[in-house]
Amino acid sequence: MTNPRLLRAALPFLTLAIVLTATFYVQPRTMSYFGLNLMLQYAVPIALATIAQMFIITVNDLDLSIGPFVGLVGVVAATVLNSSPVLGAAALMVCVLAYGVVGALIHVRNLPSIVVTLGLSFVWLGISVTMLPSPGGKAPAVLKAIMTVQTPYVPFPILAAVAIGLVVHLALMTTSFGVVARGAGGNPKALARAGWSMLGTKVVMYMLAGLFGLLAGLALLGLTTSADAHVADRYTLYSIAGVILGGGEFIGGRINPIGAVVGALTLALAGAFLIFLRISPDWQIGAQGAVLIIVLALRALASTREKSL
Amino acid sequence: MSTEAIRLDGVEKSFGAVRALAGVDLVVAVGECLGLVGHNGAGKSTLMHVLAGALLPDAGTLTVGGAEPKAQWSAAASQAAGIRCVFQELSLCPNLSVAENARITHASLRGFGWKGRARALICAKLDEIFPGHRIAPDDEIAQLPIGQRQMVEIARAFTVTTAPLRLVILDEPTSSLDAVAAGQLLSYIRKETTRGTAVILISHILGEILATSDRIVVMKDGKQVAARPAPAFDRSSLMAAMGSDLKEVEARGDRWQSPKADAAVVVRASPQREGGGSELVVREGEIVGLAGLAGHGQTRLLLQIFAGHADVDRPVAFVAGDRQSEGVFNLWSIAENITVASLRALIRRGLINVAAEAKLARAWRERIGIRTSDMGRNILTLSGGNQQKVLFARALASDARIILMDDPMRGVDIGTKLEVYAMIRAEAASGRSFLWYTTELDELTHCDKVYVFWNGKISDSIEAADFSEQRVLRASFAESGA
Amino acid sequence: MKGLLSWLRGQPWIGSFLAAGLVWILAVVFAGGRGGGEILSSALAFATFTVIVGLGQMMVITTGPGNVDLSIPATMTLSGVIAMKLMDTESARILVGTAAAMGASFVVGVANYALIRLLRIPPIIATLSSSFLVLSTAISVGRGLRIKPPPPLADFATARAFGVPFTAIAVAALTVIIGLTLTHTIYGRTVAAIGQNERAAWLAGLDVRRTRFATYVLSAMLAGLCGILQSGFSGGAALNMGDDFLLASIAVVVIGGTSVAGGRGNVPGIWGAALFMYLLVTMLNIFGASPGVRLIMTGLIIIAVIAVAGSENPRRP
């Protein structure tokens, strides 16, 4: 009974290994501390955004606004936070609370999260564009310092990603609260009947998503040093792909935090891999799609083998 | 110290025009096993949902342990008062493990080391109720067959952490259990009640009710119509109280005209998983039963035949037993649910003829006796038994000559069952063949032939003339090589 | 009259049309009370294109939760680019260009379904990944000068009769066809059945696979049609022509009253929602809102509309 489950848990790692090997093969110079650091530097914000998406997916919803939200956080941090830290911090807190309000609204009115977060993405983008019509602003020095720290032996992005994965895994898969959160995705009716507040659970998960989106935005700003409303538009799709690559499922409360982080790392790597392959710019986008397909195809093949065991 | 576990007085509940509870009085004493019987639509499930705090009644009072509840009645309040329920719809989270599901009902299982305590709690209770089960606490619910899920659900209901157990409501608990587990549960109920826990047992299997209950209450049309100590009832008086025609029940024993032995063979199949072994043969106009312990390959064979992995050359239809997940289309009307398998026949000039469709639906309402005034209403306005009739009508209305039935009478009231049995016999007489998997030994008496399954193989095939409950049971527990 | 009113109130699409009407009134008010007809006519012209892809998206969404076609913008672009390139401004080559563009769209639909079925990739990711590939193809095919559409195509796409665009009339007819398909054909009923309960649909003898396949192909081909017409309308195929259509295609389906959980499609509502969205943008433009404000308003209104309308699937006790 545990064997197929182990295989499923190992798939994200296998995928990462394949992409990593392919990258090293094409460009051996990346097999170094510096190389890995460079390729994976965006892994931290992507991983944080992926975890944010994962919280939402745990409760059977989908967040199509995480990308613009990450962009908004960067914009607020690079403008308001820089000039008046207290006001900036308050503004960021409001953003996280807003996520909680959205979660409550979605639950109370039984709304489809896809559409609500779609509309929300417009709102986040509109606020960003109003505050910062063109890229600018300045990242707070502390963010820059954290994101560029040179840790010994293992590059910082890897350490950070591992830490994120472990913390969230412990929180969601081993604690008693995590059971309730995942149960809310597995059988919401049963949870309500058992006396748990579905509303409370959803709000908490949405706010956790907002919190990790906040962290993602700050991390990204630390790397890019100036803000841009559109910088993280791709993150919505990355985050969804990361959760799925990590073995998560859209419905049913089946998620895998460590897998999600590994999935995020894989995506970050795939981006670099494509650049090394010197694909013509016309095909850069297409190649990303192809990589995603190949990776998922491998996963499907492995699953069929698992099912026939 | 009150002798009452719970008391309901004058409870009423309506859903729109449907009066589910029309003023119910019910008392359950401490340590009593109360059997609750009635037609589908009698109000049993609704009453239990009110007790469980899942529904608020329109009128009436509830007292727990002789006192009115302090706060507004709700699911949480009901739990805190020591009331647990196991309903027909399972309330386990399929993505969580057995132990994690125990945590869901026990808020006190938290903090450091909660998982070890949860494991111990649920394992102890499983061992106590179902000795010999093979369920591990870290098994994911989705990986367990439905019988084991039911066992977990039942065991969980009897676990205690903070609030002492006052009343456990079991709504058709044996519907997914095999005979062994069902027996274990019933004897556990007798044991548990001596410890002061009250139990309400709802079941359509009258034998279980008569053997296990201290007192039996009969409900009909949202009211209590009879309540006596169990020994004062027998099968016929229970049926009479429920309003079913006794004569029809007895007449089941008559042999009707069996199909000739040289009728054409319409199905030839052997269970795929096992290597070499007996084959199942169905002839035109035959009713063939599939028996044995639940989950021993009967459903798998039915699906195998449906998917075409067998020797079949006629159209096949399937009647699901788990109507929620395999049968009913929730958003559609009753009529649309019936006609969905017959659409090809309703096409005129390239499009579905709506008038013909409505006519077909109405015809089947009469033929199979669906209790509703308007076939255009949503299917969920029907009671469970009537919904099951819709699934039958769907299969019978199609052009299928072979009807596969996956234990479709689960949780259906006796009146509906008798109506459907008569329908099956009539259809068989006109040339349709039925392949009928059932977990109730009684229903096998309708079959011309019975194949008993054990561990995915066919362990015995019994002609109607040689049929006996003993022979089926023996084959159900066949040992390898014996 | 009372019967008509209560019938109207019962229709799930009435909300979107009422909203559209309200916004139109506001737009006219902000414009100083003039130009109402022109505003409506313009909205119809633009809304028509969204309706085309909305119809396809609706069919996909109705096949069940998690089914969305994110490749619509890319398919549109590819189709437009291929059509313009092959037509090469010559009227005689309109048919060839159209056939090729629709053929390419067909291939995209087949590819989408293959990814979903063979590789068992969730539709959102499958259509997303294929959209990347399709867009890249479009970019590499479309490199170079922007080719104008042949005059007959451009004329058809921009012409109006008494203020009503020809394309709107044509798409209205298409809407009726698709509406009938959904309710009165085996294919349409199967779509609704799959959306409610795929397993039950299979057990009831319906052909789930072929229906799913047909739906993704239909969505792709409608996107292809939209690409051709849009190119005719805008004087050529731009590589970013599909950008607005992703969110728009989903929004008109949902605001129009189709259940996102699947199983219940709402065809007339797509028109109401499309009109509403374009009238909204027009109203905001007239009002003089800056781009950022426009985005915020659009988003808030989408949320508000859905929040007020509630859900198609009321939570069962």
Short mmCIF file of all heavy atoms in Angstrom, two decimals, chain A residues 1 5 58 173-180 182-196 252-254, chain B residues 54 75-76 79 87 89-96 100 103-105 107 109-111 114-115 138-140 142-143:
data_model
loop_
_atom_site.label_atom_id
_atom_site.label_comp_id
_atom_site.label_asym_id
_atom_site.label_seq_id
_atom_site.Cartn_x
_atom_site.Cartn_y
_atom_site.Cartn_z
N MET A 1 0.83 -1.20 0.00
CA MET A 1 0.00 0.00 0.00
C MET A 1 0.87 1.26 0.00
O MET A 1 0.54 2.25 -0.60
CB MET A 1 -0.91 -0.02 1.24
CG MET A 1 -1.98 1.03 1.23
SD MET A 1 -2.99 1.09 -0.25
CE MET A 1 -3.87 -0.44 -0.11
N ARG A 5 2.46 5.05 -3.09
CA ARG A 5 2.47 6.39 -2.55
C ARG A 5 3.87 6.96 -2.52
O ARG A 5 4.10 8.13 -2.78
CB ARG A 5 1.87 6.41 -1.15
CG ARG A 5 0.36 6.61 -1.17
CD ARG A 5 -0.27 6.22 0.12
NE ARG A 5 -0.12 7.26 1.13
CZ ARG A 5 -0.62 7.20 2.35
NH1 ARG A 5 -1.29 6.14 2.71
NH2 ARG A 5 -0.43 8.16 3.21
N THR A 58 -5.67 23.59 -1.62
CA THR A 58 -6.01 22.65 -0.55
C THR A 58 -7.50 22.69 -0.24
O THR A 58 -8.10 21.67 0.08
CB THR A 58 -5.22 22.97 0.73
OG1 THR A 58 -3.84 23.00 0.43
CG2 THR A 58 -5.47 21.91 1.79
N MET A 173 1.01 18.92 7.08
CA MET A 173 0.85 17.46 7.01
C MET A 173 0.97 16.76 8.37
O MET A 173 0.62 15.61 8.49
CB MET A 173 1.89 16.85 6.06
CG MET A 173 1.97 17.51 4.69
SD MET A 173 0.44 17.43 3.74
CE MET A 173 0.55 15.82 3.04
N THR A 174 1.51 17.46 9.36
CA THR A 174 1.68 16.78 10.64
C THR A 174 0.90 17.40 11.78
O THR A 174 0.69 16.76 12.80
CB THR A 174 3.17 16.72 11.07
OG1 THR A 174 3.61 18.06 11.26
CG2 THR A 174 4.01 16.03 10.02
N THR A 175 0.50 18.65 11.64
CA THR A 175 -0.22 19.25 12.75
C THR A 175 -1.69 18.91 12.71
O THR A 175 -2.22 18.52 11.68
CB THR A 175 -0.11 20.79 12.74
OG1 THR A 175 -0.75 21.26 11.55
CG2 THR A 175 1.32 21.25 12.79
N SER A 176 -2.33 19.10 13.86
CA SER A 176 -3.76 18.81 13.92
C SER A 176 -4.55 19.83 13.12
O SER A 176 -5.61 19.52 12.58
CB SER A 176 -4.23 18.76 15.37
OG SER A 176 -3.78 19.90 16.06
N PHE A 177 -4.05 21.07 13.01
CA PHE A 177 -4.75 22.05 12.18
C PHE A 177 -4.69 21.65 10.71
O PHE A 177 -5.66 21.76 9.98
CB PHE A 177 -4.18 23.46 12.34
CG PHE A 177 -4.69 24.40 11.28
CD1 PHE A 177 -6.00 24.85 11.33
CD2 PHE A 177 -3.92 24.76 10.19
CE1 PHE A 177 -6.51 25.67 10.33
CE2 PHE A 177 -4.42 25.58 9.19
CZ PHE A 177 -5.72 26.04 9.26
N GLY A 178 -3.52 21.18 10.30
CA GLY A 178 -3.35 20.78 8.90
C GLY A 178 -4.36 19.73 8.49
O GLY A 178 -4.86 19.72 7.38
N VAL A 179 -4.68 18.83 9.43
CA VAL A 179 -5.67 17.78 9.14
C VAL A 179 -7.02 18.43 8.81
O VAL A 179 -7.69 18.05 7.85
CB VAL A 179 -5.82 16.83 10.34
CG1 VAL A 179 -7.00 15.90 10.14
CG2 VAL A 179 -4.56 16.02 10.53
N VAL A 180 -7.39 19.41 9.60
CA VAL A 180 -8.68 20.08 9.37
C VAL A 180 -8.66 20.80 8.03
O VAL A 180 -9.62 20.74 7.25
CB VAL A 180 -8.98 21.07 10.51
CG1 VAL A 180 -10.27 21.82 10.23
CG2 VAL A 180 -9.09 20.33 11.83
N ARG A 182 -6.86 20.15 5.34
CA ARG A 182 -6.92 19.20 4.23
C ARG A 182 -8.27 18.50 4.19
O ARG A 182 -8.80 18.20 3.13
CB ARG A 182 -5.78 18.19 4.33
CG ARG A 182 -4.44 18.80 3.93
CD ARG A 182 -3.32 17.79 4.03
NE ARG A 182 -3.06 17.39 5.39
CZ ARG A 182 -2.98 16.11 5.78
NH1 ARG A 182 -3.16 15.15 4.92
NH2 ARG A 182 -2.74 15.82 7.03
N GLY A 183 -8.82 18.24 5.36
CA GLY A 183 -10.15 17.65 5.39
C GLY A 183 -11.18 18.56 4.76
O GLY A 183 -12.12 18.10 4.10
N ALA A 184 -10.97 19.86 4.92
CA ALA A 184 -11.90 20.82 4.31
C ALA A 184 -11.91 20.67 2.81
O ALA A 184 -12.90 20.92 2.14
CB ALA A 184 -11.52 22.24 4.71
N GLY A 185 -10.76 20.26 2.27
CA GLY A 185 -10.71 20.03 0.82
C GLY A 185 -11.26 18.66 0.46
O GLY A 185 -11.85 18.48 -0.59
N GLY A 186 -11.08 17.69 1.36
CA GLY A 186 -11.49 16.33 1.04
C GLY A 186 -12.99 16.11 1.16
O GLY A 186 -13.59 15.43 0.33
N ASN A 187 -13.60 16.65 2.18
CA ASN A 187 -15.04 16.45 2.39
C ASN A 187 -15.59 17.61 3.22
O ASN A 187 -15.77 17.49 4.43
CB ASN A 187 -15.28 15.12 3.11
CG ASN A 187 -16.75 14.72 3.07
OD1 ASN A 187 -17.64 15.54 2.86
ND2 ASN A 187 -16.99 13.45 3.30
N PRO A 188 -15.86 18.74 2.57
CA PRO A 188 -16.29 19.94 3.31
C PRO A 188 -17.57 19.70 4.11
O PRO A 188 -17.71 20.21 5.22
CB PRO A 188 -16.53 20.99 2.22
CG PRO A 188 -16.02 20.42 0.96
CD PRO A 188 -15.75 18.98 1.13
N LYS A 189 -18.47 18.91 3.56
CA LYS A 189 -19.73 18.67 4.28
C LYS A 189 -19.47 17.95 5.59
O LYS A 189 -20.06 18.28 6.62
CB LYS A 189 -20.67 17.82 3.41
CG LYS A 189 -21.52 18.65 2.46
CD LYS A 189 -22.62 17.83 1.83
CE LYS A 189 -22.06 16.87 0.81
NZ LYS A 189 -23.12 16.15 0.08
N ALA A 190 -18.61 16.95 5.51
CA ALA A 190 -18.31 16.19 6.73
C ALA A 190 -17.68 17.08 7.78
O ALA A 190 -17.98 16.97 8.97
CB ALA A 190 -17.37 15.04 6.39
N LEU A 191 -16.82 17.97 7.34
CA LEU A 191 -16.17 18.86 8.28
C LEU A 191 -17.17 19.75 8.97
O LEU A 191 -17.12 19.98 10.18
CB LEU A 191 -15.14 19.73 7.55
CG LEU A 191 -13.81 19.71 8.25
CD1 LEU A 191 -13.08 18.44 7.92
CD2 LEU A 191 -12.99 20.90 7.90
N ALA A 192 -18.10 20.27 8.18
CA ALA A 192 -19.12 21.14 8.77
C ALA A 192 -19.97 20.36 9.76
O ALA A 192 -20.28 20.82 10.85
CB ALA A 192 -19.99 21.73 7.66
N ARG A 193 -20.31 19.13 9.38
CA ARG A 193 -21.13 18.31 10.27
C ARG A 193 -20.40 17.96 11.54
O ARG A 193 -21.02 17.76 12.59
CB ARG A 193 -21.54 17.02 9.55
CG ARG A 193 -23.03 17.01 9.24
CD ARG A 193 -23.50 15.65 8.85
NE ARG A 193 -23.59 15.49 7.42
CZ ARG A 193 -23.32 14.37 6.79
NH1 ARG A 193 -22.94 13.30 7.44
NH2 ARG A 193 -23.44 14.29 5.49
N ALA A 194 -19.08 17.87 11.45
CA ALA A 194 -18.32 17.54 12.66
C ALA A 194 -18.15 18.76 13.55
O ALA A 194 -17.54 18.70 14.61
CB ALA A 194 -16.95 16.98 12.27
N GLY A 195 -18.68 19.88 13.10
CA GLY A 195 -18.67 21.06 13.95
C GLY A 195 -17.58 22.06 13.65
O GLY A 195 -17.46 23.08 14.31
N TRP A 196 -16.75 21.79 12.64
CA TRP A 196 -15.70 22.75 12.31
C TRP A 196 -16.28 23.87 11.46
O TRP A 196 -17.20 23.67 10.68
CB TRP A 196 -14.57 22.07 11.52
CG TRP A 196 -13.83 21.05 12.31
CD1 TRP A 196 -14.02 19.70 12.29
CD2 TRP A 196 -12.80 21.29 13.28
NE1 TRP A 196 -13.18 19.09 13.17
CE2 TRP A 196 -12.41 20.04 13.79
CE3 TRP A 196 -12.17 22.43 13.75
CZ2 TRP A 196 -11.41 19.90 14.75
CZ3 TRP A 196 -11.17 22.30 14.71
CH2 TRP A 196 -10.81 21.04 15.19
N GLY A 252 -10.01 17.79 -3.85
CA GLY A 252 -9.90 16.65 -2.96
C GLY A 252 -8.94 16.84 -1.82
O GLY A 252 -8.76 15.93 -1.03
N GLY A 253 -8.33 18.03 -1.76
CA GLY A 253 -7.46 18.27 -0.62
C GLY A 253 -6.18 17.48 -0.64
O GLY A 253 -5.55 17.27 0.40
N ARG A 254 -5.77 17.02 -1.83
CA ARG A 254 -4.52 16.25 -1.90
C ARG A 254 -3.40 17.15 -2.36
O ARG A 254 -3.32 17.47 -3.54
CB ARG A 254 -4.67 15.09 -2.89
CG ARG A 254 -5.29 13.91 -2.24
CD ARG A 254 -5.05 12.63 -3.01
NE ARG A 254 -5.84 11.59 -2.41
CZ ARG A 254 -7.13 11.44 -2.64
NH1 ARG A 254 -7.73 12.21 -3.51
NH2 ARG A 254 -7.80 10.51 -2.01
N ALA B 54 -27.96 18.96 12.39
CA ALA B 54 -27.68 19.37 11.02
C ALA B 54 -28.85 20.12 10.42
O ALA B 54 -28.69 20.87 9.45
CB ALA B 54 -27.36 18.14 10.17
N ALA B 75 -24.82 21.40 15.19
CA ALA B 75 -23.98 20.21 15.05
C ALA B 75 -22.98 20.14 16.19
O ALA B 75 -22.76 19.08 16.78
CB ALA B 75 -23.28 20.23 13.69
N ALA B 76 -22.38 21.26 16.49
CA ALA B 76 -21.39 21.28 17.58
C ALA B 76 -22.04 20.96 18.90
O ALA B 76 -21.50 20.20 19.72
CB ALA B 76 -20.71 22.65 17.62
N GLN B 79 -22.76 17.29 19.14
CA GLN B 79 -21.54 16.55 19.43
C GLN B 79 -21.18 16.66 20.90
O GLN B 79 -20.86 15.67 21.56
CB GLN B 79 -20.37 17.14 18.63
CG GLN B 79 -20.43 16.86 17.15
CD GLN B 79 -19.43 15.81 16.74
OE1 GLN B 79 -18.26 15.95 17.05
NE2 GLN B 79 -19.88 14.78 16.09
N PHE B 87 -24.47 8.37 9.03
CA PHE B 87 -25.52 8.45 8.05
C PHE B 87 -25.20 7.61 6.84
O PHE B 87 -24.12 7.07 6.70
CB PHE B 87 -25.73 9.91 7.61
CG PHE B 87 -26.35 10.74 8.68
CD1 PHE B 87 -25.67 11.82 9.22
CD2 PHE B 87 -27.62 10.46 9.15
CE1 PHE B 87 -26.23 12.59 10.21
CE2 PHE B 87 -28.20 11.23 10.15
CZ PHE B 87 -27.49 12.30 10.68
N GLU B 89 -24.77 8.70 3.80
CA GLU B 89 -23.65 9.30 3.07
C GLU B 89 -22.47 9.31 4.02
O GLU B 89 -22.52 9.89 5.08
CB GLU B 89 -23.91 10.74 2.65
CG GLU B 89 -25.33 11.09 2.28
CD GLU B 89 -26.09 11.59 3.48
OE1 GLU B 89 -25.74 12.66 4.02
OE2 GLU B 89 -27.01 10.89 3.90
N LEU B 90 -21.41 8.66 3.64
CA LEU B 90 -20.26 8.58 4.52
C LEU B 90 -19.63 9.95 4.72
O LEU B 90 -19.55 10.75 3.81
CB LEU B 90 -19.23 7.62 3.94
CG LEU B 90 -19.68 6.17 3.86
CD1 LEU B 90 -18.55 5.28 3.41
CD2 LEU B 90 -20.21 5.71 5.20
N SER B 91 -19.21 10.23 5.95
CA SER B 91 -18.62 11.53 6.20
C SER B 91 -17.15 11.41 6.57
O SER B 91 -16.66 12.09 7.45
CB SER B 91 -19.39 12.26 7.29
OG SER B 91 -19.50 11.44 8.42
N LEU B 92 -16.46 10.55 5.87
CA LEU B 92 -15.01 10.50 6.03
C LEU B 92 -14.37 11.36 4.96
O LEU B 92 -14.93 11.55 3.89
CB LEU B 92 -14.51 9.06 5.87
CG LEU B 92 -14.99 8.05 6.91
CD1 LEU B 92 -14.60 6.65 6.49
CD2 LEU B 92 -14.39 8.38 8.27
N CYS B 93 -13.20 11.87 5.24
CA CYS B 93 -12.44 12.62 4.23
C CYS B 93 -11.55 11.63 3.50
O CYS B 93 -10.61 11.09 4.09
CB CYS B 93 -11.59 13.70 4.88
SG CYS B 93 -12.56 14.95 5.74
N PRO B 94 -11.80 11.42 2.21
CA PRO B 94 -11.08 10.36 1.51
C PRO B 94 -9.58 10.62 1.36
O PRO B 94 -8.81 9.68 1.21
CB PRO B 94 -11.76 10.31 0.13
CG PRO B 94 -12.54 11.55 0.01
CD PRO B 94 -12.81 12.07 1.36
N ASN B 95 -9.18 11.88 1.45
CA ASN B 95 -7.77 12.18 1.26
C ASN B 95 -6.98 12.05 2.56
O ASN B 95 -5.76 12.17 2.56
CB ASN B 95 -7.60 13.60 0.70
CG ASN B 95 -8.22 14.64 1.62
OD1 ASN B 95 -9.25 14.41 2.22
ND2 ASN B 95 -7.57 15.79 1.76
N LEU B 96 -7.66 11.81 3.67
CA LEU B 96 -6.97 11.69 4.95
C LEU B 96 -6.89 10.23 5.36
O LEU B 96 -7.61 9.38 4.86
CB LEU B 96 -7.72 12.49 6.03
CG LEU B 96 -7.87 13.98 5.80
CD1 LEU B 96 -8.69 14.59 6.92
CD2 LEU B 96 -6.53 14.65 5.69
N GLU B 100 -6.29 10.29 10.95
CA GLU B 100 -6.56 11.72 10.74
C GLU B 100 -8.05 12.00 10.74
O GLU B 100 -8.51 13.04 11.21
CB GLU B 100 -5.92 12.19 9.43
CG GLU B 100 -4.40 12.30 9.51
CD GLU B 100 -3.78 12.60 8.16
OE1 GLU B 100 -4.35 12.21 7.13
OE2 GLU B 100 -2.71 13.24 8.16
N ARG B 103 -9.31 12.54 14.12
CA ARG B 103 -9.03 13.89 14.59
C ARG B 103 -10.17 14.84 14.21
O ARG B 103 -10.51 15.76 14.95
CB ARG B 103 -7.69 14.37 14.00
CG ARG B 103 -7.57 15.83 13.70
CD ARG B 103 -7.41 16.65 14.92
NE ARG B 103 -7.25 18.06 14.64
CZ ARG B 103 -7.65 19.03 15.45
NH1 ARG B 103 -8.26 18.74 16.56
NH2 ARG B 103 -7.45 20.29 15.14
N ILE B 104 -10.76 14.60 13.02
CA ILE B 104 -11.81 15.50 12.54
C ILE B 104 -12.98 15.54 13.52
O ILE B 104 -13.56 16.59 13.77
CB ILE B 104 -12.29 15.08 11.14
CG1 ILE B 104 -11.16 15.19 10.12
CG2 ILE B 104 -13.49 15.90 10.71
CD1 ILE B 104 -10.80 16.60 9.76
N THR B 105 -13.34 14.39 14.08
CA THR B 105 -14.47 14.40 15.00
C THR B 105 -14.06 14.69 16.43
O THR B 105 -14.92 14.97 17.27
CB THR B 105 -15.23 13.06 14.99
OG1 THR B 105 -14.29 12.01 15.01
CG2 THR B 105 -16.10 12.95 13.76
N ALA B 107 -12.04 17.25 18.45
CA ALA B 107 -11.26 18.47 18.49
C ALA B 107 -10.18 18.42 19.56
O ALA B 107 -9.18 19.14 19.49
CB ALA B 107 -12.17 19.68 18.73
N LEU B 109 -8.12 16.11 20.08
CA LEU B 109 -6.91 15.43 19.64
C LEU B 109 -6.00 16.45 18.98
O LEU B 109 -5.96 16.59 17.77
CB LEU B 109 -7.25 14.33 18.64
CG LEU B 109 -7.81 13.03 19.21
CD1 LEU B 109 -8.30 12.13 18.08
CD2 LEU B 109 -6.76 12.30 20.02
N ARG B 110 -5.31 17.23 19.78
CA ARG B 110 -4.41 18.21 19.18
C ARG B 110 -3.17 18.35 20.02
O ARG B 110 -3.01 17.69 21.02
CB ARG B 110 -5.09 19.56 19.05
CG ARG B 110 -5.67 20.03 20.38
CD ARG B 110 -6.85 20.87 20.13
NE ARG B 110 -6.48 22.26 19.94
CZ ARG B 110 -6.93 23.25 20.69
NH1 ARG B 110 -7.71 22.98 21.70
NH2 ARG B 110 -6.61 24.49 20.44
N GLY B 111 -2.31 19.22 19.57
CA GLY B 111 -1.07 19.43 20.32
C GLY B 111 -0.07 18.33 20.03
O GLY B 111 -0.28 17.47 19.18
N TRP B 114 -0.50 14.23 19.00
CA TRP B 114 -1.91 13.93 18.75
C TRP B 114 -2.08 12.71 17.86
O TRP B 114 -3.03 11.94 17.98
CB TRP B 114 -2.60 15.15 18.12
CG TRP B 114 -2.17 15.44 16.72
CD1 TRP B 114 -1.17 16.28 16.34
CD2 TRP B 114 -2.72 14.88 15.53
NE1 TRP B 114 -1.05 16.28 14.99
CE2 TRP B 114 -1.99 15.43 14.46
CE3 TRP B 114 -3.75 13.98 15.26
CZ2 TRP B 114 -2.26 15.10 13.14
CZ3 TRP B 114 -4.02 13.65 13.93
CH2 TRP B 114 -3.26 14.22 12.89
N LYS B 115 -1.15 12.52 16.93
CA LYS B 115 -1.33 11.44 15.97
C LYS B 115 -1.25 10.07 16.64
O LYS B 115 -2.02 9.17 16.30
CB LYS B 115 -0.27 11.54 14.87
CG LYS B 115 -0.79 10.98 13.56
CD LYS B 115 0.12 11.30 12.42
CE LYS B 115 -0.64 11.42 11.11
NZ LYS B 115 0.21 11.80 10.01
N ASP B 138 -2.95 4.28 9.38
CA ASP B 138 -2.41 5.24 8.43
C ASP B 138 -2.87 4.97 7.00
O ASP B 138 -2.40 5.62 6.07
CB ASP B 138 -0.88 5.24 8.48
CG ASP B 138 -0.37 5.88 9.77
OD1 ASP B 138 -1.08 6.73 10.33
OD2 ASP B 138 0.73 5.50 10.23
N ASP B 139 -3.79 4.05 6.83
CA ASP B 139 -4.35 3.80 5.50
C ASP B 139 -5.13 5.01 5.06
O ASP B 139 -5.91 5.58 5.82
CB ASP B 139 -5.30 2.59 5.53
CG ASP B 139 -4.56 1.28 5.58
OD1 ASP B 139 -3.35 1.27 5.28
OD2 ASP B 139 -5.19 0.26 5.90
N GLU B 140 -4.96 5.39 3.80
CA GLU B 140 -5.75 6.50 3.26
C GLU B 140 -7.14 5.98 2.93
O GLU B 140 -7.29 4.92 2.33
CB GLU B 140 -5.07 7.03 2.00
CG GLU B 140 -5.63 8.37 1.54
CD GLU B 140 -5.02 8.81 0.22
OE1 GLU B 140 -5.58 8.44 -0.84
OE2 GLU B 140 -4.01 9.52 0.24
N ALA B 142 -9.34 6.73 0.82
CA ALA B 142 -9.65 6.50 -0.59
C ALA B 142 -9.17 5.15 -1.08
O ALA B 142 -9.69 4.61 -2.05
CB ALA B 142 -9.05 7.61 -1.44
N GLN B 143 -8.16 4.59 -0.38
CA GLN B 143 -7.63 3.30 -0.82
C GLN B 143 -8.44 2.13 -0.27
O GLN B 143 -8.23 0.99 -0.65
CB GLN B 143 -6.18 3.14 -0.34
CG GLN B 143 -5.27 4.31 -0.67
CD GLN B 143 -4.82 4.26 -2.10
OE1 GLN B 143 -5.05 3.27 -2.79
NE2 GLN B 143 -4.20 5.32 -2.57
#
